[in-house]
Amino acid sequence: MTTKWLAALTGLFMAGWLVLHVLGNLTAFSGAAALDGYAAALRRLGPLLWLMRAALVAAVVVHIAATVSLARRAQAARPIRHVHRWPRGSSTSRLMVVGGPLLLVFIVYHLLHLTFGLLHPSFAPGHVYANLVCGLAPPLIGAFHVVAAALVALHLHHGLASALVSFGSRRVSAGVLRHLLRGVAVAIAVGFATVPVAVLAGALR
Ligand code: HEM
């Protein structure tokens, strides 16, 4: 399997997981019992949940390794330029080079905050709704989650387009497909952003 395919397949797997995560988050709008019940049902999956988490971690590692390798190859193949910009490359690849690591920083923070509770002021295991509402209430933290949602949209939009090119589609830059990818990326980002925005607005408490 080529490096491009590895990057594309792991990216699509993570995109699928993100859709499930957004849908899970949106149960918060049905109240604490709904979100806590959903989280409890996931935990009852036991080994299956751990298998999913292991697959997710493996996908993140392989995705980073593959995309770093592709970026290095693209840089090596580029003719020498006299004007150096950092990071080098087109505006799209620069966006991925800066946005990817920023997303990784967010994910590490996010796990320490809402999964392990180490960076949370009043974390209570199993009380996902209360942890969420209390955790996102400080305006800077809520805003950080909205920024992360926007980063996810940009990364997904460009990543999905690259994945389709890797799978042989030559028409990604053309009309309908490009709008469709943009629509998917924006829908996921809006789904993510609604929860912190609702907490900041006092609609979820
Ligand atoms: C911006 C809005 C987001 C909210 C409100 C949110 C909320 C949460 C919550 C409450 C948990 C803990 C779930 C539990 O304990 O059962 C969680 C876990 C997690 N979130 Fe998010 N999340 C958001 C965005 C994201 C994004 C953008 C990513 C990835 C790019 C992400 C990745 C994760 C991961 C990897 C976990 C751990 C899942 C596990 O324990 O198996 N989240 N999130």
Side-chain angles (χ1 to χ4, degrees):
M1 197 184 287
T2 67
T3 314
K4 272 187 179 184
W5 272 70
L6 276 180
L9 284 175
T10 48
L12 284 180
F13 174 73
M14 291 187 289
W17 184 87
L18 279 178
V19 171
L20 295 181
H21 188 25
V22 162
L23 295 176
N25 284 354
L26 293 178
T27 61
F29 289 99
S30 302
L35 181 57
D36 291 356
Y38 170 71
L42 280 182
R43 280 169 182 61
R44 278 196 298 275
L45 293 175
L48 213 62
L49 177 64
W50 282 103
L51 197 71
M52 182 69 179
R53 284 171 165 165
L56 198 59
V57 171
V60 170
V61 172
V62 173
H63 189 75
I64 293 172
T67 46
V68 166
S69 155
L70 288 173
R72 285 209 177 124
R73 266 190 248 166
Q75 197 167 327
R78 212 167 281 139
I80 297 164
R81 291 212 188 121
H82 294 289
V83 180
H84 292 308
R85 279 184 298 188
W86 187 91
R88 298 173 198 190
S90 67
S91 57
T92 302
S93 67
R94 279 206 299 278
L95 194 74
M96 299 307 260
V97 169
V98 175
L102 279 179
L103 265 180
L104 194 63
V105 169
F106 168 75
I107 293 169
V108 172
Y109 165 77
H110 189 56
L111 289 177
L112 293 174
H113 182 222
L114 289 177
T115 297
F116 299 113
L118 297 174
L119 298 179
H120 194 283
S122 57
F123 189 79
H127 295 268
V128 179
Y129 183 91
N131 293 338
L132 183 73
V133 169
C134 169
L136 299 189
L140 266 182
I141 299 193
F144 182 38
H145 282 73
V146 176
V147 170
L151 267 181
V152 166
L154 290 172
H155 201 81
L156 264 180
H157 178 239
H158 295 296
L160 287 174
S162 309
L164 287 184
V165 171
S166 301
F167 293 142
S169 169
R170 292 175 206 286
R171 302 189 54 81
V172 177
S173 55
V176 179
L177 201 48
R178 203 181 62 200
H179 289 306
L180 193 74
L181 293 183
R182 189 169 293 162
V184 170
V186 169
I188 293 179
V190 169
F192 271 128
T194 48
V195 172
V197 168
V199 172
L200 291 175
L204 286 181
R205 53 198 143 119

